[in-house]
Amino acid sequence: MEFERAVQELKGHIKDYADEMLTKSKGKDQYECIFCGSGTGSNGTGALTVYENNFYCFSCQQKGDIFDLIQQVEGIDKKQVVQYTAQKYGISIDGKTDNNKSDRTKKEENIDYTTFFRECNKHLQDTDYHRGISLDTLNRFLVGYVPQWTNPKSPKAPPTPCLIVPTSRTSYLARATDSNNKRKVGKTHIFNSKALNNTPVLYIVEGEIDALSVIDVGGNAVGLGGVSNVKHFFEVFDQIERTKEQKFIISLDNDEAGEKAKNALIEGFDERNISFGVYNPCGNHKDSNEALNAGREEFQKAVLHGIENIDNLIEEYNKNASLDYDNKFCAEVLLNDFIGGIAENVNIEAVPTGFKALDDILDGGFYEGLYGIGAISSLGKTTFALQIADQIAEYGHPVLIFSLEMSKNELIAKSISRNTFKRVIATRGDVSNAKTIRGIMTGKKYRFYNQTERELIKSATYDYKDIAKNIFIREGMGNVGADTIVEQVKEHIKKKKKPPVVIVDYLQILMPHSEKGTDKANTDYSILTLKRLSRDYKIPVIVISSFNRENYSNRVSMQAFKESGAIEYSADVLIGLQLMGTGEKDFDVDEAKSRNPREIEAIVLKNRNGRTGGKIGYKYYSMFNYFEELEETPTNSKRKKPDKPVKRDEML
């Protein structure tokens, strides 16, 4: 893996590392601070908080990432910390994770601590910090005690009394007896991995102390040594010759991290076709050791119950897994939801676009799905979509617009400009009084307006205000990607309790999902994410797409959408806008664009659930941001003429 990509992936393991090596305190994702000690007081409230890729202590203001934590906790040299972390989490950096480690680090990992363990074991009875585990079990695993333990990788750190739990000849866990702090020394090893050889029924638990707790009441267990060690567990697992009759019980901590690791273990066992059950003898307690200390007899019964009923546990897991699979994928099960969905949707209607001919082709308007509207530049894509948005809002339906190029003020000015024009023609007024965007937004122009113009702007603004309560605008400038849109749509639905029609303007300037990905890969990701959004929330998502200059003199076609990645395949409906006459002999694109109004055609190129190939004619008054659907179009020649006071072109 490339270095920068590996670093970013490693930073994402900070929560795993904190759960494994830091002491949890009260509060979500909060820990005792290893820099200032905050959280070690009697109230147990820590100030060091772990976020997605970093940490911050609200007490000492220390902040950093996983590498800073590892340097502080384990004393790893700054030059070696990335490679050390990569090895810990099984990530190869350009094929190198072992070769670049310093000789000092390698030497430390190969230190034989056997003599140290025996000496520590002699002092085990010098402490009563045995975590509820009998001396027989602790002695069996050579667990010991050190009254003044110093981390060999942090010799300057203050010494602390610790329980020493060997995990191999060259590694151990040091658990402070005066707090919940724990430190790992040496390369990570799976605790009691020898039990993988021939134990008929074996518990898989999270920590070393948890494994000792299960063993102490008559079971047998291996400890992962932390939720991040599932991959390492299977590396060890695959190297051991086991009997085919061997069975396993997955029993991890009752928390979010334990659930994540449990699922990883299930996936690994399923891939290897290994018999296992999922069962937690801890009850409502967090882990096995906590359950042991809460009630030894009850915990023992629960552990032995799991062993005695292993076949039932395996059968129960397989049955539940099969049912879960059926619920997700079996058509017989899905049929009930399908029928129920029809019943629920019986009163759900399409969202009309406000353009009658377009609604006719779309069977009433927009439905759940992904819609693409594409055209060359300066053809009014944004204006067309915004007018549709206003017309949808006029029906009382919410519209959420992601404007990635134009400001919200520009969009509002477009709508008010359109309204000035509509009012003029509706009242047979003077079209010169209608206002452009600049005429609306430039304050110094207002002092030169006459009373009629001022009243017109006021009325047009009032008209917009009536629908503006259903229009929501989110701006962006290179910082909004498809994932951001998904999150903000979720937020909108949560706050407003009604799913909106979503408009994204426009596809090509969405923030890339990956800086290292190709344009096509990033566009494909955006399209598929927005498609999933439309499906998950059963809403229309309209994506505006820009065509390149090669399409200026060519008829709009599916080919024009190819450069827009997966939209060609994923969209439910594709609508292309073109100048009327495009592709015909002697067609002059500049002359066509100079007309006032411009003559535009909308062509439905793809309609997954309806008609395609239909053309709808529009007059586009670009100065006033207004599209007028023609009274007679190639697909609408028999449509009754709408009741209009005058024809627009006669007013210009």
Side-chain angles (χ1 to χ4, degrees):
M1 185 182 294
E2 293 180 358
F3 182 80
E4 291 299 328
R5 183 182 170 194
V7 166
Q8 290 304 312
E9 186 166 333
L10 290 170
K11 287 181 178 180
H13 282 282
I14 188 169
K15 179 71 165 56
D16 296 333
Y17 186 79
D19 286 337
E20 178 185 357
M21 301 300 288
L22 304 186
T23 302
K24 200 81 170 67
S25 64
K26 296 178 182 177
K28 180 177 173 56
D29 297 334
Q30 288 190 326
Y31 305 82
E32 293 180 4
C33 181
I34 57 172
F35 297 92
C36 68
S38 173
T40 58
S42 58
N43 61 6
T45 303
L48 189 146
T49 303
V50 171
Y51 300 97
E52 184 176 356
N53 287 321
N54 52 59
F55 70 87
Y56 179 76
C57 177
F58 289 90
S59 180
C60 66
Q61 284 78 55
Q62 185 73 35
K63 59 184 178 181
D65 53 30
I66 188 172
F67 306 118
D68 298 300
L69 277 183
I70 290 177
Q71 286 180 69
Q72 179 70 13
V73 173
E74 303 188 50
I76 302 298
D77 185 83
K78 184 176 182 180
K79 295 179 180 179
Q80 302 299 328
V81 68
V82 174
Q83 291 290 352
Y84 174 86
T85 311
Q87 184 186 49
K88 179 177 180 65
Y89 292 104
I91 294 175
S92 175
I93 303 178
D94 290 333
K96 302 174 183 178
T97 47
D98 296 325
N99 297 337
N100 289 345
K101 293 178 71 69
S102 67
D103 292 338
R104 177 182 65 81
T105 305
K106 289 180 179 178
K107 185 176 180 180
E108 285 175 351
E109 289 184 351
N110 292 321
I111 295 176
D112 189 332
Y113 291 106
T114 303
T115 302
F116 170 69
F117 295 153
R118 288 173 178 165
E119 187 63 29
C120 294
N121 181 249
K122 293 178 182 178
H123 298 278
L124 181 59
Q125 296 191 57
D126 292 348
T127 178
D128 58 2
Y129 184 82
H130 297 158
R131 304 289 298 180
I133 303 168
S134 68
L135 286 174
D136 286 344
T137 298
L138 295 175
N139 286 326
R140 175 182 161 193
F141 286 88
L142 214 60
V143 175
Y145 172 70
V146 176
Q148 296 291 310
W149 179 80
T150 301
N151 190 336
K153 295 180 180 179
S154 302
K156 294 182 180 180
T160 181
C162 281
L163 202 67
I164 304 298
V165 182
T167 54
S168 74
R169 286 188 307 104
T170 59
S171 63
Y172 63 91
L173 166 72
R175 180 148 192 161
T177 62
D178 57 358
S179 70
N180 287 325
N181 286 327
K182 50 187 177 182
R183 301 288 184 266
K184 297 288 181 72
V185 176
K187 186 177 179 180
T188 300
H189 284 82
I190 302 301
F191 180 76
N192 194 30
S193 60
K194 63 183 180 181
L196 291 168
N197 282 306
N198 51 22
T199 306
V201 180
L202 185 64
Y203 278 89
I204 301 173
V205 296
E206 191 168 312
E208 296 85 354
I209 299 296
D210 295 325
L212 288 169
S213 300
V214 172
I215 293 167
D216 199 47
V217 296
N220 205 349
V222 296
L224 298 178
V227 293
S228 62
N229 293 333
V230 173
K231 183 176 180 179
H232 180 54
F233 168 81
F234 282 115
E235 289 174 353
V236 175
F237 185 86
D238 291 338
Q239 294 175 5
I240 293 178
E241 292 185 8
R242 302 175 313 279
T243 62
K244 292 183 178 181
E245 294 76 21
Q246 193 174 25
K247 299 167 185 177
F248 300 89
I249 301 175
I250 298 176
S251 180
L252 299 190
D253 288 7
N254 285 323
D255 56 19
E256 184 179 345
E259 183 70 16
K260 182 179 177 181
K262 180 193 79 174
N263 291 332
L265 282 169
I266 288 173
E267 183 178 347
F269 279 137
D270 280 340
E271 288 176 356
R272 292 163 175 80
N273 198 28
I274 302 296
S275 296
F276 68 94
V278 178
Y279 168 70
N280 202 327
C282 308
N284 294 325
H285 301 289
K286 178 181 179 296
D287 54 39
S288 295
N289 187 247
E290 185 178 296
L292 173 69
N293 284 280
R296 183 182 185 88
E297 184 176 346
E298 184 177 352
F299 178 64
Q300 183 177 38
K301 287 180 179 179
V303 168
L304 297 179
H305 174 80
I307 296 172
E308 293 166 0
N309 291 275
I310 181 61
D311 291 332
N312 292 334
L313 292 177
I314 293 172
E315 183 180 353
E316 181 181 3
Y317 169 77
N318 291 334
K319 181 179 179 181
N320 289 337
S322 178
L323 287 173
D324 184 57
Y325 187 85
D326 286 348
N327 289 334
K328 291 179 180 177
F329 306 113
C330 180
E332 182 183 12
V333 178
L334 297 176
L335 181 61
N336 293 328
D337 292 335
F338 174 76
I339 295 172
I342 293 175
E344 289 178 6
N345 295 334
V346 68
N347 295 319
I348 295 179
E349 299 178 352
V351 181
T353 68
F355 288 125
K356 293 183 178 180
L358 182 59
D359 287 340
D360 183 40
I361 289 182
L362 298 180
D363 195 22
F366 291 142
Y367 293 86
E368 166 195 340
L370 182 66
Y371 293 74
I373 298 177
I376 60 175
S377 63
S378 304
L379 214 63
K381 302 182 296 294
T382 297
T383 302
F384 185 68
L386 182 61
Q387 185 170 336
I388 288 175
D390 286 357
Q391 289 165 180
I392 289 173
E394 195 171 0
Y395 287 113
H397 198 96
V399 182
L400 178 57
I401 302 171
F402 291 89
S403 182
L404 310 182
E405 185 177 43
M406 301 183 71
S407 71
K408 57 180 178 289
N409 288 335
E410 288 178 289
L411 295 186
I412 292 172
K414 269 181 174 286
S415 295
I416 295 174
S417 169
R418 183 190 317 113
N419 286 347
T420 64
F421 181 70
K422 289 169 65 177
R423 272 193 166 265
V424 164
I425 59 176
T427 59
R428 299 177 181 270
D430 185 351
V431 172
S432 64
N433 287 333
K435 298 303 172 202
T436 64
I437 292 179
R438 186 168 295 175
I440 298 293
M441 296 185 70
T442 307
K444 64 182 180 181
K445 289 179 177 288
Y446 277 68
R447 68 175 182 267
F448 300 110
Y449 292 157
N450 58 40
Q451 187 61 30
T452 300
E453 291 173 299
R454 291 172 184 267
E455 287 296 328
L456 178 61
I457 294 173
K458 182 178 179 181
S459 298
T461 303
Y462 180 82
D463 291 342
Y464 179 71
K465 185 177 181 180
D466 194 43
I467 67 168
K469 61 187 177 183
N470 295 318
I471 298 284
F472 302 85
I473 303 171
R474 294 252 193 181
E475 291 179 336
M477 190 61 69
N479 61 344
V480 175
D483 292 327
T484 306
I485 289 174
V486 171
E487 291 305 313
Q488 292 181 353
V489 169
K490 288 181 183 178
E491 180 186 4
H492 179 96
I493 294 173
K494 183 178 180 180
K495 297 287 177 61
K496 303 302 294 182
K497 311 301 181 186
K498 188 173 182 180
V501 172
V502 174
I503 297 177
V504 180
D505 183 25
Y506 59 94
L507 175 63
Q508 282 75 18
I509 55 177
L510 279 170
M511 185 177 70
H513 173 65
S514 169
E515 293 181 0
K516 295 184 181 296
T518 64
D519 289 344
K520 183 180 184 306
N522 281 316
T523 303
D524 285 353
Y525 178 86
S526 296
I527 286 298
L528 295 174
T529 300
L530 295 174
K531 171 69 173 179
R532 187 166 56 249
L533 172 67
S534 72
R535 183 182 61 195
D536 290 347
Y537 290 93
K538 301 187 181 303
I539 57 175
V541 176
I542 297 94
V543 180
I544 299 173
S545 177
S546 182
F547 297 159
N548 63 33
R549 290 184 175 273
E550 295 176 0
N551 294 287
Y552 270 47
S553 298
N554 298 325
R555 287 191 179 95
V556 68
S557 65
M558 292 282 284
Q559 188 70 25
F561 279 97
K562 280 188 178 294
E563 65 194 48
S564 301
I567 191 171
E568 178 187 7
Y569 307 103
S570 299
D572 297 281
V573 176
L574 288 178
I575 301 171
L577 301 180
Q578 68 178 22
L579 291 162
M580 200 171 289
T582 298
E584 296 179 3
K585 186 179 179 180
D586 300 326
F587 173 73
D588 187 333
V589 63
D590 293 326
E591 189 275 332
K593 288 177 70 174
S594 67
R595 294 175 189 168
N596 188 12
R598 294 176 192 162
E599 295 179 334
I600 304 293
E601 290 178 323
I603 303 176
V604 179
L605 301 167
K606 178 182 179 181
N607 189 359
R608 198 183 298 275
N609 299 304
R611 288 185 288 153
T612 61
K615 291 183 180 180
I616 307 167
Y618 294 91
K619 290 181 180 179
Y620 173 37
Y621 300 87
S622 59
M623 286 181 62
F624 305 115
N625 308 282
Y626 180 63
F627 276 81
E628 176 196 359
E629 198 168 71
L630 293 182
E631 297 172 355
E632 290 189 5
T633 70
T635 60
N636 194 28
S637 58
K638 296 182 179 180
R639 181 177 297 281
K640 180 182 177 181
K641 294 182 180 181
D643 186 17
K644 303 290 184 184
V646 292
K647 293 183 179 180
R648 274 47 163 178
D649 55 324
E650 293 177 356
M651 299 301 299
L652 296 177

